[in-house]
């Protein structure tokens, strides 16, 4: 038997399957979707089996054998393997990159280099039948050399770490032995998880102690310092191996810091249920409201017909979308099929998980990034073992290896986090629709504020109506909150007027009084401070100098705990400056996260007020998010203050006031979706108020009270927003009136980059001229449209010392943009390989930087 294997070398020449022999002893274990270790050139690589056959078109005598099978059960299945091929074509990425994106991080290829005694080194003595290369044998052996060789021979193979901890300072000798061929490298494929126990590292002292300890270390101990500062900010345990990957520190460094008593290395059980021990009260289906019944009916009917169809469920906040999801899933499970629920990472709060676990119990697996690698791996395996029927998770849960998928639900479908920003730059919504189409499954896109792209594709009416475009979505609407609860009353406050009236506080008089009323009535308040736009940069108040990264054209971010300045693009970290690097003034200070300042101000205005602050600083610790929310729910605080995290998905009965400190922060971003994002955020956060018996009230503070996104959000008027926004998009030629592709090229030298950018753009245009006659034919009603903009410098013109230029394609209609991009990119292979040009292609970009 022969297997076709996609190997782990993301390059054009290897972006095709290679044939291997499946040795008889491995046959039972190799299936389509299996991970295998295969010889490739001088190395052993991980690969995925994408085909199996009794015959091969290659010369079978020249083929090599599969060396290892890495799983008892293939982690992927034939359908996912095909989906990876589709992703590779659609998103212009290598197939291996798509396959790797589908599996949990724990299963990603990891190679281990180990040192062995070279087979024919002549050191083994004269009885080596293969003889030996002359030179090495003649060199005299020092006692140290002998000891090293004996050590390796005794162990079979060793890692560099093992070697150096046994023979500290033997680095140069080791290098020489490898060069002389007395020792050799051996590379093996290794699972990140192959043991039930894992070594984890955790801080053994509090953040302050770690920071001051790091200050006392000698200047040379850079790695140790880094390690201490890392744990000062991330107090949760980290697997030792992950630490090595993340920070590049060796086990030796960890060990010496642990010996000083600042860190602890422990063995921990990794295969465990993240929700074990938590009891989820079982819930029964609720009697549906009329609107809920109205939208569930066409979904259930489509499921019953085993049809593929996409529904866009536009339901106002509090209209009871979750109950619709739950009952649709029940229908799907009753048919013996499986369901995937995607929610934004941020909404994966216990509240959301509880609703699904409460209804379907142990049939639910949960996947999100706050689980440890082991936990995620374990949840993933439950799917393969068919122990679960429902997966709820963030973006990558769309790749759950179900074989009988009936339903995919995407909650808050407009969320940008469904788009992956690194390769493969896929959008989970598009992947879901493609996967469902192949499986005859139903997709439900739910939102109170659907994305313009989805809304434009939807048509109202019954599912499967005649004459409807097969790719269009069916629009379902729920316009009322459950039990006729009113939407909250929204006040828009003009901050310019406040200033005129002499109010210099960040709280308008209206919001101030509203908070005061809540305190008196023992009701709760949610305050949103949009973090974007409020960064934590360090600025000189004398000369206005902002501390920037020397390698990237972006300001450094201040980290309070470690008092360091970091670059979020290249990871550079340096101590906070005492004086201005530009004018040497001492008036250099950092401009805080905003949330901290709001918290301080609240304390001054309302002495004794209990505030829970939720932002990246207070939620970095594992489980912190959950703890803060449960404290708020049990009314241990009056105010929940936070960034976007507080805007979504929360459902607390006593929250009757929502305040938006500054609504404009997103509005002025250089992004054509700025108004849409503002409208969505305001609508979502307003939707947190008055969801139960008590009516809600919302204050939106802004400097631009007349902007249509703010006016329409305050009137809960999605349709009016849509009209204005669509008009703007039409005039300026943005989605949904066309599709976009963003191509970013980067290089260390500007001249080469400019040449490459110009040539890329002109090749695209030429390619289109060749395609155009064919595209325009075929009875298409609309003329296809294709335009290339740029090259121009990117909004962040330099990252990690590489300059960046971008081209933008806008197109519409019958344009085979994938083929065009693949063909154009292929013409640059040479430049990419030889001159280290980097090309990044983002199809339907969400971020235009
Ligand atoms: P959405 O996701 O649309 O904002 P939720 O699904 O969170 O709204 O529902 C809002 C509230 O209404 C929740 O507390 C939920 O338990 C409740 N609810 C939903 N459907 C019903 C129903 N049919 N009868 C009674 N309460 C319901
Ligand atoms: Zn940088
Ligand atoms: Zn200065």
């Amino acid at each position: 038997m022969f297997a076709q294997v996609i190997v782990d070398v993301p390059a054009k020449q290897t972006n095709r399957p290679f044939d291997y022999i499946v040795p008889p002893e491995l046959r039972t274990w190799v299936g389509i979707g299996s991970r295998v270790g295969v010889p490739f050139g001088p190395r052993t690589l991980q690969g995925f089996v994408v085909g199996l056959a009794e015959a091969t078109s290659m010369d079978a005598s020249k083929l090599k054998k599969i060396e290892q099978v890495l799983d008892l059960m293939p982690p992927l299945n034939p359908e996912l393997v095909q989906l990876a091929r589709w992703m590779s074509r659609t998103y212009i990425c290598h197939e291996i990159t798509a396959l790797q994106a589908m599996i949990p991080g724990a299963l990603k290829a990891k190679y281990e280099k180990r040192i062995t005694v070279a087979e024919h080194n002549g050191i083994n003595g004269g009885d080596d039948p293969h003889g030996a290369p002359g030179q090495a044998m003649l060199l005299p052996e020092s006692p140290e050399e002998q000891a090293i060789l004996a050590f390796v021979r005794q162990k079979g193979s060793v890692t560099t770490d093992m070697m150096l901890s046994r023979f500290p300072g033997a680095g140069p000798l080791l290098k020489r032995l490898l060069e002389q061929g007395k020792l050799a490298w051996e590379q093996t494929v290794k699972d990140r998880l192959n043991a039930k126990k894992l070594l984890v590292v955790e801080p053994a002292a509090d953040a302050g102690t770690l920071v001051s300890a790091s200050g006392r270390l000698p200047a040379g101990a850079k790695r140790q310092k880094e390690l201490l500062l890392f744990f000062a900010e991330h107090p949760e345990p980290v697997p030792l191996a992950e630490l090595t990957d993340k920070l590049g520190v060796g086990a030796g460094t960890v060990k010496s810091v642990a010996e000083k008593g600042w860190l602890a290395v422990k063995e921990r059980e990794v295969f465990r249920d993240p929700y074990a021990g938590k009891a989820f009260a079982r819930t029964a289906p609720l009697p549906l409201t009329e609107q809920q019944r109205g939208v569930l009916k066409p979904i259930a009917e489509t499921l019953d017909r085993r049809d593929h169809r996409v529904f866009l469920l536009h339901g106002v906040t509090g209209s009871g979308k979750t109950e619709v999801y739950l009952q649709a899933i029940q229908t799907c499970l009753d048919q013996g099929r499986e369901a995937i629920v995607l929610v934004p990472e941020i909404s994966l709060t216990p509240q959301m998980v509880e609703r699904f676990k409460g209804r379907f119990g142990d049939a639910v697996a949960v996947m999100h990034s706050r689980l440890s690698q082991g936990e995620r791996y374990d949840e993933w395996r439950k799917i393969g073992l068919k122990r679960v029927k429902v997966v709820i998770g963030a973006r990558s849960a769309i790749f759950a290896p179900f074989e009988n998928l009936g339903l995919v639900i995407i909650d808050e479908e407009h969320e940008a986090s469904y788009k992956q920003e690194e390769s493969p730059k896929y959008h989970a919504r598009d992947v879901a629709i493609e996967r469902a189409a192949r499986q005859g499954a139903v997709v439900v896109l739910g939102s109170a504020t659907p994305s313009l792209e989805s809304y434009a594709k939807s048509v109202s009416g019954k599912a499967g109506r005649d004459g409807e475009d097969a790719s269009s979505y069916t629009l379902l609407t729920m316009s009322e909150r459950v039990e006729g609860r009113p939407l909250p009353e929204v006040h828009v406050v003009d901050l310019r007027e406040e200033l005129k009236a002499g109010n210099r506080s960040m709280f308008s008089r209206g919001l101030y009084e509203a908070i005061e009323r809540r305190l008196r009535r023992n009701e709760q308040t949610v305050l949103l401070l949009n973090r974007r736009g409020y960064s934590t940069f360090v600025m000189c108040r004398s000369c206005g100098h902002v501390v920037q990264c020397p390698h990237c054209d972006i300001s450094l971010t201040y980290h309070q705990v470690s008092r360091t300045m970091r670059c979020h693009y290249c990871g550079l970290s340096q101590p906070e400056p005492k004086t201005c690097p530009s004018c040497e003034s001492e008036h250099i200070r950092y401009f805080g996260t905003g949330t901290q300042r709001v918290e301080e101000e609240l304390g001054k205005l309302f002495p004794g007020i209990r505030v829970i602050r939720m932002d990246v600083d207070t939620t970095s610790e594992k489980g912190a998010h959950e703890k803060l929310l449960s404290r708020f729910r049990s009314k241990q605080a009056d105010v929940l203050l936070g960034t976007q995290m507080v805007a979504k998905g929360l459902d607390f009965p006593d929250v009757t006031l929502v305040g938006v400190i500054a609504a404009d922060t997103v509005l002025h971003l250089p992004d054509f979706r700025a108004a849409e994002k503002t409208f969505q955020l305001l609508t979502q956060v307003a939707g947190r108020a008055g969801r139960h018996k008590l009516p809600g009230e919302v204050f939106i503070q802004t400097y631009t009270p007349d902007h249509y996104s703010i006016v329409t959000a305050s009137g809960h008027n999605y349709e009016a927003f849509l009209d204005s926004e669509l008009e703007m998009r039409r005039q300026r030629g943005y989605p949904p009136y066309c599709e976009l592709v963003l191509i970013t090229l980067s290089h260390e030298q500007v001249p080469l980059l400019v040449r490459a950018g110009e040539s890329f753009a002109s090749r695209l245009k030429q390619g289109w001229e060749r395609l155009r006659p064919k595209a325009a034919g075929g009875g298409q009603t609309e003329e296809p449209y294709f335009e290339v903009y740029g090259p121009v410098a990117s909004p962040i013109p330099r990252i990690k010392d590489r300059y960046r230029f971008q081209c933008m394609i806008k197109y519409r209609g019958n344009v085979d943009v994938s083929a065009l991009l693949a063909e154009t990119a292929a013409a640059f292979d040479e430049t990419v390989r030889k001159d280290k040009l980097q090309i990044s292609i983002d199809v339907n970009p969400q971020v235009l930087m």
Side-chain angles (χ1 to χ4, degrees):
M1 187 148 68
F2 302 95
Q4 297 185 308
V5 178
I6 299 275
V7 294
D8 180 24
V9 182
K12 177 167 172 267
Q13 300 78 12
T14 47
N15 195 25
R16 63 172 180 90
F18 290 86
D19 283 15
Y20 286 91
I21 296 166
V22 183
E25 68 274 16
L26 294 183
R27 275 192 190 187
T28 32
W29 306 109
V30 176
I32 292 182
S34 287
R35 288 184 313 140
V36 290
V38 291
F40 195 80
R43 298 173 294 171
T44 296
L45 292 179
Q46 182 180 302
F48 287 85
V49 175
V50 297
L52 284 170
E54 293 299 334
T56 174
S57 55
M58 311 293 289
D59 178 356
S61 67
K62 295 224 173 90
L63 292 181
K64 293 181 183 162
K65 282 185 197 160
I66 289 178
E67 283 175 359
Q68 326 160 243
V69 183
L70 295 163
D71 316 274
L72 291 179
M73 270 182 338
L76 298 178
N77 61 34
E79 181 232 325
L80 287 166
V81 163
Q82 280 183 18
L83 190 69
R85 196 159 298 162
W86 172 85
M87 283 173 70
S88 140
R89 238 192 358 260
T90 307
Y91 300 109
I92 331 287
C93 67
H94 300 295
E95 223 167 306
I96 187 68
T97 313
L99 289 163
Q100 298 277 26
M102 291 181 162
I103 55 171
L107 296 181
K108 279 180 194 141
K110 188 177 177 195
Y111 300 102
E112 194 176 58
K113 268 191 159 182
R114 296 178 79 95
I115 299 162
T116 59
V117 174
E119 270 172 43
H120 320 299
N121 58 22
I123 306 289
N124 276 334
D127 55 5
D128 185 345
H130 301 289
Q135 276 302 315
M137 200 165 53
L138 301 174
L139 289 169
E141 291 172 33
S142 68
E144 197 182 9
E145 189 176 324
Q146 277 175 3
I148 287 180
L149 292 168
F151 174 63
V152 180
R153 211 173 293 132
Q154 180 215 334
K155 295 270 179 196
S157 71
V158 300
T159 63
T160 341
D161 271 353
M162 283 164 73
M163 180 74 97
L164 293 178
S165 70
R166 175 72 181 263
F167 302 100
L173 176 58
L174 190 61
K175 191 164 168 250
R176 203 163 61 237
L177 290 173
L178 285 162
E179 278 164 7
Q180 290 172 352
K182 292 182 182 174
L183 291 177
W185 285 114
E186 174 192 86
Q187 179 173 284
T188 51
V189 181
K190 205 177 152 254
D191 265 353
R192 276 167 205 264
L193 288 180
N194 50 6
K196 283 214 162 201
K197 296 267 172 102
L198 197 67
L199 287 178
V200 297
V201 186
E202 61 184 36
D206 62 22
T209 313
L210 296 184
V211 172
S212 66
S214 81
R216 290 197 306 273
L217 283 170
K222 259 177 67 184
R223 292 276 187 227
Q224 299 193 22
K225 261 187 201 172
E226 224 173 276
L227 199 59
L228 285 173
L229 293 178
F230 174 85
F231 279 103
E233 275 187 48
H234 307 89
E236 68 278 17
V238 179
L240 181 61
E242 231 178 272
L243 208 59
T244 319
D245 284 357
K246 252 192 213 153
L247 298 181
V249 298
T253 311
V254 175
K255 203 171 143 222
S256 50
V257 178
E259 274 163 8
K260 292 174 183 139
W262 296 322
L263 294 181
V265 182
K266 292 181 180 163
E267 235 184 8
R268 200 175 72 171
E269 187 86 42
V270 283
F271 291 88
R272 47 168 210 170
D273 181 349
Y275 296 93
K278 276 188 199 150
F280 293 96
R282 284 308 273 258
T283 63
L286 295 173
L288 296 181
T289 65
E290 203 177 313
Q291 288 199 330
Q292 284 173 324
R293 241 180 300 133
V295 301
L296 183 61
K297 191 163 172 271
I299 298 172
E301 284 171 0
T302 313
L303 282 168
D304 281 337
R305 285 200 306 273
R306 302 287 199 274
D307 271 353
H308 163 61
R309 180 102 214 124
V310 182
F311 293 94
L312 177 61
L313 173 55
H314 176 206
V316 298
T317 56
S319 58
K321 293 187 286 294
T322 314
E323 189 60 34
V324 174
Y325 303 155
L326 290 168
Q327 299 202 14
I329 293 170
Q330 189 62 58
T331 307
C332 170
L333 299 189
D334 291 345
Q335 298 171 343
R337 295 200 284 171
E338 296 132 353
I340 298 174
V341 183
L342 298 187
V343 298
E345 181 75 50
I346 237 164
S347 319
L348 271 169
T349 55
Q351 211 173 16
M352 197 67 175
V353 171
E354 209 174 288
R355 287 182 173 178
F356 287 83
K357 287 248 182 194
R359 192 67 56 85
F360 305 113
D362 288 339
V364 180
V366 183
M367 311 270 291
H368 60 78
S369 67
R370 283 190 302 274
L371 302 186
S372 71
Q373 284 211 342
E375 286 167 342
R376 250 186 291 176
Y377 176 52
D378 200 38
E379 294 289 288
W380 177 266
R381 279 193 320 173
K382 284 190 205 160
I383 303 166
L385 293 167
K386 305 217 180 314
R387 276 174 37 202
V388 295
K389 298 274 174 210
V390 181
V391 167
I392 168 165
R395 184 175 62 221
S396 63
I398 192 55
F399 302 118
F402 283 137
E403 288 178 344
N404 210 355
L405 186 64
L407 177 62
V408 182
I409 285 163
I410 305 186
D411 190 31
E412 312 287 4
E413 69 88 29
H414 61 276
E415 277 281 321
S417 65
Y418 288 126
K419 175 74 195 273
Q420 174 155 304
E421 294 300 339
E422 67 259 33
S423 186
K425 301 184 175 189
Y426 70 92
H427 199 298
R429 182 176 56 210
D430 300 335
V431 174
I433 293 172
E434 177 65 24
R435 200 177 169 194
R438 288 160 183 257
Q439 296 255 306
V442 168
V443 178
V444 176
L445 309 175
S447 177
T449 52
S451 65
L452 266 76
E453 284 92 332
S454 294
Y455 203 87
K457 281 198 189 123
S458 71
V459 287
S460 46
K462 282 204 229 71
R465 202 176 46 181
D466 285 343
E468 205 174 89
D469 182 352
S471 68
S472 61
Y473 308 165
T474 304
L475 179 66
L476 305 170
T477 309
M478 295 200 292
S479 55
E480 282 162 21
R481 283 189 163 180
V482 170
E483 293 179 351
R485 290 165 196 156
L487 283 163
E489 186 188 346
V490 182
H491 313 274
V492 176
V493 181
D494 187 341
L495 287 174
R496 296 167 306 184
E497 294 296 324
E498 289 293 314
L499 204 61
K500 271 191 212 154
N503 178 10
R504 303 190 144 268
S505 147
M506 59 178 83
F507 292 96
S508 60
R509 290 156 298 175
L511 180 54
Y512 174 87
E513 281 159 22
I515 295 174
E516 200 174 40
R517 275 199 299 279
R518 296 309 173 297
L519 291 174
R520 266 203 313 272
R521 298 204 296 237
N522 193 25
E523 292 169 11
Q524 291 179 299
T525 300
V526 169
L527 290 179
L528 170 77
L529 181 78
N530 204 344
R531 191 189 158 86
R532 284 165 77 175
Y534 279 85
S535 67
T536 50
F537 56 97
V538 169
M539 190 174 97
C540 171
R541 304 190 85 180
S542 304
C543 76
H545 177 80
V546 172
V547 182
Q548 294 231 324
C549 175
H551 310 287
C552 314
D553 290 327
I554 190 127
S555 47
L556 294 178
T557 299
Y558 184 66
H559 285 242
Q560 207 169 21
V561 183
S562 54
R563 308 185 72 95
T564 53
M565 313 272 311
R566 304 249 178 108
C567 172
H568 281 186
Y569 286 91
C570 72
L572 173 103
S573 166
Q574 58 184 51
E576 95 186 290
K578 296 274 171 289
T579 56
C580 171
S582 172
C583 75
E584 294 182 2
S585 156
E586 282 174 9
H587 297 289
I588 184 153
R589 53 166 298 206
Y590 94 95
F591 286 79
T593 59
T595 43
Q596 287 170 10
R597 278 172 48 216
V598 180
E599 188 181 17
E600 281 165 27
E601 178 105 0
L602 277 170
K604 276 186 219 144
L605 292 174
F606 308 99
I609 195 168
R610 298 167 305 163
V611 179
I612 291 178
R613 178 160 64 84
M614 219 165 87
D615 55 26
V616 276
D617 291 334
T618 61
T619 55
S620 59
E621 198 177 321
K622 190 176 172 183
H625 196 241
E626 286 79 356
K627 265 185 232 145
L628 294 176
L629 288 179
S630 88
R631 269 177 53 209
F632 188 62
R633 180 174 1 195
S634 59
K635 299 200 71 174
Q636 296 175 50
D638 309 300
V639 174
L640 177 66
L641 160 68
T643 55
Q644 282 96 319
M645 289 179 203
V646 303
K648 283 147 204 168
L650 308 180
D651 186 24
F652 298 117
D654 287 335
V655 172
T656 58
L657 174 64
V658 165
V660 179
I661 307 287
D664 320 68
T665 48
V666 176
L667 208 51
H668 303 305
L669 290 180
D671 179 346
F672 73 90
R673 290 192 181 90
E676 183 181 2
K677 285 186 179 147
T678 300
F679 177 83
Q680 286 164 348
L681 187 64
L682 295 179
T683 307
Q684 294 293 341
V685 73
R688 300 311 109 208
R691 294 167 69 84
H692 293 251
K693 300 239 154 53
L694 301 166
E697 191 181 21
V698 180
F699 281 82
I700 297 178
Q701 306 190 140
T702 172
Y703 292 96
T704 45
D706 300 326
H707 192 278
Y708 64 90
S709 62
I710 292 174
V711 174
T712 53
S714 66
H716 308 291
N717 195 341
Y718 179 78
E719 274 75 22
F721 168 73
L722 199 72
D723 287 344
S724 308
E725 183 66 10
L726 282 175
E727 181 53 25
M728 191 280 281
R729 300 278 180 96
R730 199 182 55 77
Q731 279 172 14
R732 291 171 37 192
Y734 277 117
Y737 292 99
C738 67
E739 314 258 352
L740 299 181
V741 181
L742 181 70
I743 300 134
T744 306
L745 297 107
S746 75
H747 196 268
E748 288 180 358
Q749 288 152 23
V750 175
L752 186 142
L753 188 58
V754 172
R755 271 200 310 279
E758 271 160 9
S759 135
F760 201 100
S762 70
R763 272 177 187 277
L764 278 173
K765 288 177 200 159
Q766 287 159 15
W768 168 242
E769 288 310 323
R770 259 179 286 121
L771 279 185
R772 186 207 286 271
K774 224 169 60 200
Q780 299 284 326
T781 45
E782 200 195 8
E783 265 295 293
Y785 163 83
F786 183 92
E787 198 68 63
V788 182
Y789 296 84
V792 294
S794 300
I796 301 169
R798 190 176 52 135
I799 292 180
K800 295 185 198 175
D801 286 323
R802 300 178 66 92
Y803 293 92
R804 305 166 79 238
F805 267 67
Q806 65 183 35
C807 299
M808 170 97 81
I809 300 176
K810 287 186 178 178
Y811 73 96
R812 191 168 54 232
N814 186 25
V815 179
D816 188 353
V817 78
S818 311
L820 202 54
L821 285 165
E823 172 195 299
T824 310
F828 286 81
D829 274 342
E830 202 53 18
T831 332
V832 166
R833 216 156 13 101
K834 282 218 188 108
D835 298 330
K836 307 248 174 336
L837 175 75
Q838 275 174 18
I839 303 176
S840 140
I841 298 176
D842 193 349
V843 179
N844 302 329
Q846 288 290 317
V847 179
L848 299 185
M849 318 257 258

